[in-house]
Amino acid sequence: MTHTIREKAKLLARVRRIRGQVEAIERALESEAGCEKVMHLIASTRAAMAGLMAEVLEDHVRVHLVDPEKYPDALNPDGVGQLLDVIRTYLK
Amino acid sequence: MTHTIREKAKLLARVRRIRGQVEAIERALESEAGCEKVMHLIASTRAAMAGLMAEVLEDHVRVHLVDPEKYPDALNPDGVGQLLDVIRTYLK
Amino acid sequence: MTHTIREKAKLLARVRRIRGQVEAIERALESEAGCEKVMHLIASTRAAMAGLMAEVLEDHVRVHLVDPEKYPDALNPDGVGQLLDVIRTYLK
Amino acid sequence: MTHTIREKAKLLARVRRIRGQVEAIERALESEAGCEKVMHLIASTRAAMAGLMAEVLEDHVRVHLVDPEKYPDALNPDGVGQLLDVIRTYLK
């Protein structure tokens, strides 16, 4: 995932926040917190996972669909933008 | 959506099936069918919509991200395959 | 789906709007509209389907999980509210 | 979330597996694993989160919508089953 080198710090920060959210679900269950709280924690962790996937997909589209060195101008920005818009709609 | 010319018949057939499914929901509501039937009809129509979107997205990725005439070999098949796998996972 | 008698007109109006959206997708494909427009139409139709399902589910929870005549006070409003909140989160 | 006492061990085991999956994503990013692996790990973690939510929702429906002590027979098993079927469809 070569493009994560540039993005690595950003993606790692996201994953660590998600780990923290999962640990919060664990604590809520251990402390027998109310159902509402547990469901809310799970829903927000799911949203964070969707955000992580959207970011990784975006990197993938920008770097792995076309070799940027070999074909610097091949990717159509509008086409990429439309694709990412739809992906984000579904990854909420 | 130039690439639909090649895909047009296939996509139109899908959309017409979906229209038929929506009309089936309409009839079920008009005839006061049971909740289970209505929910089942909606869930299967939703799945058909997801299939339609996955197909349009695939066409979009193969034809609109890179000009196939100008850059015939630019798209990385593995990269495209990985992207479409993830998209289908989320579009179920 | 006895509860749709009360809700029938409202649900039918929703389904007819969705049929109109599906017909718009059909016209867009027939007229070879741009990919962006087709994907946008599909995404908004999907959102409308999710709204329809959320409404049917809400009716189902309020009317079919407990016999309102036999157990008028059995349903816990907070519990129902929490359930519907989560359902709506997932049915976006 | 009183009902988790009975379910607590089962839910905690699920959450701990999910934590392990998130840690695997973290390691994959740290070791600059390929995009395909990272996307696959995220997708399977998302599925595990959906499974966790489905289980918590099921507990919630069975225990929190109706007071089982006060109204032991009020919940309609068919109605509950239909609801949970739809929820699982959307929580894949």
Side-chain angles (χ1 to χ4, degrees):
Chain A
M1 193 161 167
T2 49
H3 57 87
T4 58
I5 296 174
R6 274 170 284 146
E7 299 294 327
K8 191 170 169 176
K10 205 173 64 173
L11 290 174
L12 276 170
R14 264 190 190 265
V15 172
R16 286 171 185 146
R17 278 197 301 274
I18 290 171
R19 179 152 52 85
Q21 289 178 279
V22 173
E23 285 159 358
I25 298 170
E26 209 173 331
R27 286 193 301 274
L29 286 172
E30 276 161 347
S31 62
E32 291 150 35
C35 211
E36 184 173 15
K37 180 173 178 183
V38 175
M39 292 196 290
H40 180 72
L41 287 170
I42 297 173
S44 53
T45 308
R46 175 193 180 244
M49 290 291 300
L52 175 65
M53 180 62 105
E55 192 148 345
V56 170
L57 274 173
E58 179 156 354
D59 291 349
H60 181 74
V61 167
R62 295 197 191 285
V63 180
H64 280 186
L65 294 196
V66 167
D67 182 334
E69 273 89 46
K70 212 170 155 193
Y71 302 99
D73 306 318
L75 266 184
N76 163 7
D78 289 344
V80 168
Q82 291 164 18
L83 173 64
L84 296 178
D85 285 348
V86 173
I87 286 176
R88 283 190 207 100
T89 307
Y90 277 79
L91 285 181
K92 265 176 296 184
Chain B
M1 191 161 170
T2 47
H3 55 87
T4 57
I5 293 173
R6 275 168 282 147
E7 300 293 328
K8 191 170 169 177
K10 206 173 61 174
L11 292 174
L12 276 171
R14 266 190 190 263
V15 172
R16 285 170 185 147
R17 278 197 300 274
I18 291 171
R19 179 154 53 85
Q21 289 178 279
V22 174
E23 285 161 356
I25 300 169
E26 207 173 333
R27 286 193 301 273
L29 288 171
E30 277 163 346
S31 62
E32 292 150 32
C35 211
E36 184 173 14
K37 179 173 180 183
V38 174
M39 291 195 292
H40 180 72
L41 287 169
I42 296 172
S44 54
T45 307
R46 173 194 180 243
M49 290 290 302
L52 175 65
M53 181 62 104
E55 193 149 341
V56 170
L57 274 174
E58 179 158 353
D59 291 348
H60 182 73
V61 168
R62 295 195 191 286
V63 180
H64 280 188
L65 294 196
V66 167
D67 181 333
E69 274 91 46
K70 212 169 154 191
Y71 302 99
D73 307 319
L75 265 185
N76 162 8
D78 289 344
V80 169
Q82 292 164 17
L83 172 64
L84 296 177
D85 285 348
V86 173
I87 285 176
R88 283 190 207 101
T89 308
Y90 276 80
L91 283 183
K92 266 178 293 182
Chain C
M1 192 160 170
T2 47
H3 56 90
T4 59
I5 295 172
R6 272 168 284 146
E7 300 293 330
K8 191 169 169 179
K10 207 172 64 172
L11 291 173
L12 276 170
R14 265 191 191 264
V15 172
R16 285 171 185 145
R17 277 197 302 273
I18 291 171
R19 180 154 52 85
Q21 290 178 279
V22 173
E23 285 160 358
I25 300 169
E26 208 173 331
R27 286 193 301 273
L29 286 171
E30 277 162 347
S31 63
E32 292 149 33
C35 212
E36 183 174 16
K37 179 173 180 181
V38 175
M39 292 195 291
H40 179 73
L41 286 171
I42 296 172
S44 53
T45 307
R46 174 194 181 242
M49 290 290 300
L52 175 65
M53 181 60 107
E55 192 149 344
V56 171
L57 274 173
E58 179 158 352
D59 291 349
H60 181 73
V61 167
R62 295 196 191 285
V63 180
H64 280 186
L65 294 197
V66 166
D67 181 334
E69 274 88 44
K70 214 169 152 191
Y71 303 97
D73 305 318
L75 265 185
N76 162 6
D78 288 343
V80 169
Q82 291 165 17
L83 173 64
L84 296 177
D85 284 348
V86 173
I87 286 177
R88 282 192 209 100
T89 307
Y90 277 80
L91 284 181
K92 266 177 294 185
Chain D
M1 192 158 171
T2 49
H3 56 88
T4 56
I5 295 173
R6 273 168 284 148
E7 299 294 327
K8 191 169 168 178
K10 206 172 64 171
L11 291 174
L12 276 170
R14 265 190 190 261
V15 173
R16 287 171 184 146
R17 277 198 301 274
I18 290 170
R19 179 153 54 87
Q21 288 177 280
V22 173
E23 286 160 356
I25 299 169
E26 207 172 333
R27 285 193 302 274
L29 287 171
E30 277 162 346
S31 62
E32 291 151 31
C35 212
E36 185 174 13
K37 179 173 181 181
V38 175
M39 291 196 290
H40 179 73
L41 288 170
I42 296 173
S44 53
T45 309
R46 174 195 180 243
M49 289 289 304
L52 175 64
M53 180 60 105
E55 193 149 341
V56 171
L57 274 174
E58 179 157 353
D59 292 348
H60 181 74
V61 167
R62 295 197 190 285
V63 180
H64 278 186
L65 294 196
V66 166
D67 181 334
E69 273 90 47
K70 215 171 151 191
Y71 301 100
D73 305 318
L75 264 185
N76 163 6
D78 289 343
V80 169
Q82 292 165 16
L83 172 64
L84 297 177
D85 284 348
V86 173
I87 285 176
R88 284 190 208 100
T89 307
Y90 277 80
L91 284 182
K92 266 178 292 182

